[in-house]
Amino acid sequence: MQTGAFHVGTSAVHDVHVSPDGKQFAAGVYDGLIHLFELEGSKPKEKTQIAGHRAAVMAVRFSPTSDVLASGGSDGALRFWNVKGETVKDVSATRTGGGIGKMDFDPRGTTLALSVKGSVELWTPGTRPAKRDTSMSQHAFTWRALLR
């Protein structure tokens, strides 16, 4: 794989994540798009641009199996995308308590932790729509909550 810098779209990139299987990466962009790239070959190749957010995409994260991509917007929108295969499919969309800062899956992919307006929200991604498990202040958050 060739290394180096390149531009993604025409807006600022807020977050990037390489899939655990190393085959693709996603970039969340200020204009509300997600750019999905394939990493096979000598240089990254854009697979598609995913539209669905009405505001900046602040966070993107692949599930541990690399087949689901979670994305969070500055407007509080949380979306799940099936990125397995040639066509990207919108799996689920829901609203959180506010703009999403960061996110990460637990190692099993059964819980997604989000930073939302100074708090932590835990979500179960396999449900339609995704279900919020709990919300807690940052001071009360422990990793034990994720590993239950």
Coordinates of all heavy atoms in Angstrom, one line a residue, residues 79-133:
R79 N -26.5 6.6 12.7 CA -26.9 5.7 11.6 C -26.0 4.5 11.6 O -24.8 4.5 12.0 CB -26.8 6.5 10.3 CG -27.7 7.7 10.3 CD -27.7 8.3 8.9 NE -28.5 7.6 8.0 CZ -29.7 7.9 7.7 NH1 -30.3 8.9 8.2 NH2 -30.4 7.1 6.8
F80 N -26.5 3.4 11.1 CA -25.8 2.1 10.9 C -25.9 1.7 9.5 O -27.0 1.8 8.9 CB -26.3 1.0 11.8 CG -26.1 1.3 13.3 CD1 -27.1 2.0 14.0 CD2 -24.9 0.9 13.9 CE1 -26.8 2.2 15.4 CE2 -24.7 1.2 15.2 CZ -25.6 1.8 16.0
W81 N -24.8 1.4 8.8 CA -24.8 1.0 7.4 C -24.2 -0.4 7.3 O -23.2 -0.7 7.9 CB -23.9 2.0 6.7 CG -24.2 3.5 6.9 CD1 -23.6 4.2 7.9 CD2 -25.1 4.3 6.2 NE1 -24.1 5.5 7.9 CE2 -25.0 5.6 6.9 CE3 -25.9 4.1 5.2 CZ2 -25.8 6.6 6.4 CZ3 -26.7 5.1 4.7 CH2 -26.6 6.4 5.3
N82 N -24.8 -1.2 6.4 CA -24.2 -2.5 6.0 C -23.3 -2.2 4.9 O -23.7 -1.8 3.8 CB -25.3 -3.4 5.6 CG -24.8 -4.8 5.3 OD1 -23.6 -5.0 4.9 ND2 -25.6 -5.8 5.3
V83 N -22.0 -2.4 5.1 CA -20.9 -2.1 4.1 C -20.3 -3.3 3.5 O -19.3 -3.3 2.9 CB -19.9 -1.1 4.7 CG1 -20.4 0.2 5.0 CG2 -19.2 -1.7 5.9
K84 N -21.0 -4.5 3.8 CA -20.5 -5.8 3.3 C -21.0 -5.9 1.8 O -22.1 -5.6 1.5 CB -21.1 -6.9 4.1 CG -20.5 -8.2 3.8 CD -21.0 -9.2 4.9 CE -21.5 -10.5 4.3 NZ -22.0 -11.4 5.3
G85 N -20.1 -6.2 0.9 CA -20.5 -6.4 -0.5 C -20.3 -5.1 -1.3 O -19.7 -4.1 -0.8
E86 N -20.9 -5.1 -2.5 CA -20.7 -4.0 -3.4 C -21.6 -2.8 -3.1 O -21.3 -1.7 -3.4 CB -21.0 -4.5 -4.8 CG -20.0 -5.5 -5.3 CD -18.6 -4.9 -5.4 OE1 -18.4 -3.8 -5.8 OE2 -17.7 -5.6 -4.9
T87 N -22.8 -3.1 -2.5 CA -23.8 -2.0 -2.3 C -23.9 -1.7 -0.8 O -24.0 -2.6 0.0 CB -25.1 -2.4 -2.8 OG1 -25.0 -2.8 -4.2 CG2 -26.1 -1.2 -2.7
V88 N -23.8 -0.4 -0.4 CA -24.0 0.0 1.0 C -25.5 0.2 1.2 O -26.2 0.8 0.5 CB -23.3 1.4 1.2 CG1 -23.6 1.9 2.6 CG2 -21.8 1.2 1.0
K89 N -25.9 -0.4 2.3 CA -27.4 -0.4 2.7 C -27.5 0.3 4.0 O -26.8 0.0 5.0 CB -27.9 -1.8 2.8 CG -27.9 -2.5 1.5 CD -28.4 -3.9 1.6 CE -28.3 -4.6 0.3 NZ -28.0 -6.0 0.4
D90 N -28.5 1.2 4.1 CA -28.9 1.9 5.4 C -29.6 0.9 6.2 O -30.7 0.4 5.8 CB -29.8 3.1 5.0 CG -30.0 4.0 6.2 OD1 -29.6 3.7 7.3 OD2 -30.7 5.0 6.0
V91 N -29.1 0.5 7.4 CA -29.7 -0.5 8.3 C -30.6 0.2 9.3 O -31.7 -0.3 9.5 CB -28.5 -1.3 9.0 CG1 -29.1 -2.2 10.0 CG2 -27.7 -2.0 8.0
S92 N -30.2 1.3 9.9 CA -30.9 1.9 11.0 C -30.5 3.3 11.2 O -29.4 3.6 11.0 CB -30.7 1.0 12.3 OG -31.4 1.6 13.3
A93 N -31.5 4.1 11.6 CA -31.2 5.5 11.9 C -32.0 5.9 13.1 O -33.1 5.4 13.3 CB -31.6 6.4 10.8
T94 N -31.4 6.7 14.0 CA -32.1 7.1 15.2 C -31.5 8.4 15.7 O -30.6 8.9 15.1 CB -32.0 6.0 16.3 OG1 -32.9 6.3 17.4 CG2 -30.5 5.9 16.8
R95 N -32.1 9.0 16.8 CA -31.6 10.2 17.3 C -31.0 10.0 18.7 O -31.5 9.2 19.5 CB -32.7 11.2 17.5 CG -33.5 11.5 16.2 CD -32.9 12.4 15.2 NE -32.5 13.7 15.8 CZ -31.7 14.5 15.2 NH1 -31.1 14.2 14.1 NH2 -31.4 15.7 15.8
T96 N -29.9 10.7 19.0 CA -29.3 10.6 20.3 C -29.7 11.9 21.1 O -30.4 12.7 20.6 CB -27.8 10.5 20.2 OG1 -27.3 11.7 19.6 CG2 -27.3 9.3 19.4
G97 N -29.1 12.1 22.2 CA -29.4 13.2 23.1 C -28.7 14.5 22.6 O -28.9 15.5 23.3
G98 N -27.9 14.5 21.5 CA -27.3 15.7 21.0 C -26.2 15.4 20.1 O -26.1 14.2 19.6
G99 N -25.4 16.3 19.7 CA -24.3 16.1 18.8 C -23.3 15.1 19.3 O -22.9 15.0 20.4
I100 N -22.9 14.2 18.4 CA -22.0 13.1 18.7 C -20.6 13.5 18.5 O -20.2 14.0 17.4 CB -22.3 11.8 17.8 CG1 -23.8 11.4 18.1 CG2 -21.3 10.7 18.1 CD1 -24.3 10.4 17.2
G101 N -19.7 13.2 19.5 CA -18.3 13.6 19.4 C -17.5 12.4 18.9 O -16.9 12.4 17.8
K102 N -17.4 11.4 19.7 CA -16.6 10.2 19.4 C -17.5 8.9 19.6 O -18.5 9.0 20.3 CB -15.4 10.1 20.3 CG -14.4 11.2 20.2 CD -13.6 11.1 18.9 CE -12.6 12.2 18.8 NZ -12.0 12.3 17.5
M103 N -17.0 7.8 19.1 CA -17.7 6.5 19.3 C -16.8 5.4 19.1 O -15.8 5.5 18.5 CB -18.9 6.4 18.3 CG -18.5 6.3 16.9 SD -19.9 5.9 15.7 CE -21.0 7.2 15.9
D104 N -17.2 4.2 19.7 CA -16.4 3.0 19.6 C -17.2 1.8 20.0 O -18.1 1.9 20.9 CB -15.1 3.0 20.4 CG -14.0 2.1 19.9 OD1 -14.2 1.5 18.8 OD2 -13.0 2.0 20.5
F105 N -17.0 0.7 19.3 CA -17.7 -0.6 19.6 C -16.9 -1.3 20.7 O -15.7 -1.2 20.7 CB -17.7 -1.5 18.3 CG -18.8 -1.1 17.3 CD1 -18.5 -0.3 16.3 CD2 -20.1 -1.6 17.5 CE1 -19.5 0.0 15.3 CE2 -21.1 -1.3 16.6 CZ -20.8 -0.5 15.5
D106 N -17.6 -2.1 21.5 CA -16.9 -3.0 22.4 C -16.3 -4.1 21.5 O -16.7 -4.3 20.3 CB -17.9 -3.6 23.4 CG -18.8 -4.6 22.9 OD1 -19.6 -4.3 22.0 OD2 -18.8 -5.7 23.4
P107 N -15.4 -4.9 22.0 CA -14.7 -6.0 21.2 C -15.7 -7.0 20.5 O -15.4 -7.5 19.5 CB -13.8 -6.7 22.1 CG -13.5 -5.6 23.2 CD -14.8 -4.9 23.3
R108 N -16.9 -7.2 21.1 CA -17.8 -8.1 20.5 C -18.8 -7.5 19.5 O -19.5 -8.2 18.8 CB -18.6 -8.8 21.6 CG -17.8 -9.6 22.6 CD -18.7 -10.3 23.7 NE -19.5 -9.3 24.3 CZ -19.3 -8.7 25.5 NH1 -18.2 -9.1 26.2 NH2 -20.1 -7.8 26.1
G109 N -18.8 -6.2 19.5 CA -19.7 -5.5 18.6 C -21.1 -5.4 19.1 O -22.0 -5.0 18.3
T110 N -21.4 -5.7 20.3 CA -22.7 -5.7 20.9 C -23.1 -4.4 21.5 O -24.3 -4.2 21.8 CB -22.9 -6.8 21.9 OG1 -22.0 -6.7 22.9 CG2 -22.7 -8.2 21.2
T111 N -22.2 -3.5 21.8 CA -22.4 -2.2 22.4 C -21.6 -1.2 21.7 O -20.4 -1.4 21.3 CB -22.1 -2.2 23.9 OG1 -22.8 -3.2 24.5 CG2 -22.4 -0.9 24.5
L112 N -22.2 0.0 21.4 CA -21.6 1.1 20.9 C -21.6 2.3 21.9 O -22.7 2.6 22.3 CB -22.3 1.6 19.6 CG -21.6 2.8 18.8 CD1 -20.3 2.4 18.3 CD2 -22.6 3.3 17.8
A113 N -20.4 2.7 22.3 CA -20.3 3.9 23.2 C -20.2 5.2 22.5 O -19.4 5.2 21.5 CB -19.2 3.6 24.2
L114 N -20.9 6.2 22.8 CA -20.9 7.5 22.2 C -20.6 8.6 23.2 O -21.1 8.5 24.3 CB -22.2 7.8 21.6 CG -23.0 6.9 20.7 CD1 -24.3 7.4 20.3 CD2 -22.2 6.6 19.4
S115 N -19.8 9.6 22.8 CA -19.8 10.8 23.6 C -20.8 11.8 23.1 O -20.7 12.1 21.9 CB -18.4 11.4 23.7 OG -18.0 11.8 22.4
V116 N -21.7 12.2 23.9 CA -22.8 13.1 23.5 C -23.0 14.2 24.5 O -23.4 13.9 25.6 CB -24.1 12.3 23.3 CG1 -25.2 13.2 22.9 CG2 -24.0 11.2 22.3
K117 N -22.6 15.4 24.1 CA -22.8 16.6 25.0 C -22.3 16.4 26.4 O -23.0 16.6 27.4 CB -24.3 17.0 25.0 CG -24.8 17.5 23.7 CD -26.3 17.8 23.7 CE -26.8 18.4 24.9 NZ -28.3 18.7 24.9
G118 N -21.1 15.9 26.6 CA -20.5 15.8 27.9 C -20.9 14.5 28.6 O -20.5 14.3 29.8
S119 N -21.7 13.6 28.0 CA -22.1 12.4 28.6 C -21.7 11.2 27.7 O -21.3 11.4 26.6 CB -23.6 12.4 28.8 OG -24.0 13.4 29.7
V120 N -21.9 10.0 28.3 CA -21.7 8.8 27.5 C -23.1 8.1 27.3 O -23.9 8.0 28.2 CB -20.8 7.8 28.3 CG1 -20.7 6.5 27.6 CG2 -19.4 8.4 28.4
E121 N -23.3 7.7 26.1 CA -24.5 6.9 25.8 C -24.1 5.6 25.3 O -23.2 5.5 24.5 CB -25.4 7.6 24.7 CG -26.0 8.9 25.2 CD -27.0 9.5 24.2 OE1 -27.3 8.9 23.2 OE2 -27.5 10.6 24.5
L122 N -24.7 4.5 25.7 CA -24.4 3.2 25.3 C -25.6 2.7 24.4 O -26.8 2.8 24.9 CB -24.2 2.2 26.5 CG -23.1 2.6 27.4 CD1 -23.0 1.6 28.6 CD2 -21.7 2.7 26.7
W123 N -25.3 2.2 23.3 CA -26.4 1.7 22.3 C -26.2 0.3 21.9 O -25.0 -0.2 21.8 CB -26.3 2.6 21.1 CG -26.8 4.0 21.3 CD1 -26.1 5.0 21.9 CD2 -28.1 4.5 21.0 NE1 -26.9 6.1 22.0 CE2 -28.1 5.9 21.4 CE3 -29.2 4.0 20.4 CZ2 -29.2 6.7 21.3 CZ3 -30.3 4.8 20.2 CH2 -30.3 6.1 20.7
T124 N -27.3 -0.4 21.7 CA -27.3 -1.8 21.1 C -27.5 -1.7 19.6 O -28.6 -1.4 19.2 CB -28.3 -2.6 21.8 OG1 -28.1 -2.6 23.2 CG2 -28.3 -4.1 21.3
P125 N -26.5 -2.0 18.8 CA -26.6 -1.7 17.4 C -27.5 -2.7 16.6 O -28.0 -2.4 15.6 CB -25.2 -1.7 16.9 CG -24.4 -2.3 17.9 CD -25.1 -2.2 19.2
G126 N -27.7 -3.9 17.1 CA -28.4 -5.0 16.3 C -29.9 -4.8 16.2 O -30.5 -5.6 15.5
T127 N -30.5 -3.8 16.9 CA -31.9 -3.7 16.9 C -32.3 -2.6 15.9 O -31.5 -1.8 15.5 CB -32.4 -3.3 18.3 OG1 -31.8 -2.1 18.7 CG2 -32.0 -4.4 19.4
R128 N -33.6 -2.7 15.5 CA -34.1 -1.7 14.6 C -35.3 -1.0 15.1 O -36.3 -1.6 15.3 CB -34.5 -2.4 13.3 CG -34.8 -1.4 12.1 CD -34.9 -2.2 10.8 NE -35.3 -1.3 9.8 CZ -34.4 -0.6 9.0 NH1 -33.1 -0.7 9.3 NH2 -34.8 0.1 8.1
P129 N -35.2 0.3 15.5 CA -34.0 1.1 15.5 C -33.1 0.7 16.6 O -33.5 0.0 17.6 CB -34.5 2.5 15.7 CG -35.8 2.3 16.5 CD -36.4 1.0 16.0
A130 N -31.9 1.2 16.6 CA -30.9 0.9 17.6 C -31.5 1.4 19.0 O -32.2 2.3 19.0 CB -29.6 1.6 17.4
K131 N -31.2 0.6 20.0 CA -31.7 0.9 21.3 C -30.7 1.5 22.2 O -29.5 1.0 22.3 CB -32.2 -0.4 21.9 CG -32.9 -0.3 23.3 CD -33.3 -1.7 23.8 CE -32.6 -1.9 25.1 NZ -32.5 -3.2 25.5
R132 N -31.1 2.6 22.9 CA -30.2 3.2 23.9 C -30.3 2.4 25.2 O -31.3 2.3 25.7 CB -30.5 4.7 24.1 CG -29.6 5.3 25.1 CD -29.7 6.8 25.4 NE -31.0 7.4 24.9 CZ -31.1 8.7 24.8 NH1 -30.2 9.5 25.0 NH2 -32.3 9.1 24.4
D133 N -29.1 1.9 25.6 CA -29.1 1.1 26.9 C -29.1 2.0 28.1 O -29.9 1.8 29.0 CB -27.8 0.3 26.9 CG -27.8 -0.8 25.8 OD1 -28.9 -1.3 25.5 OD2 -26.7 -1.1 25.3

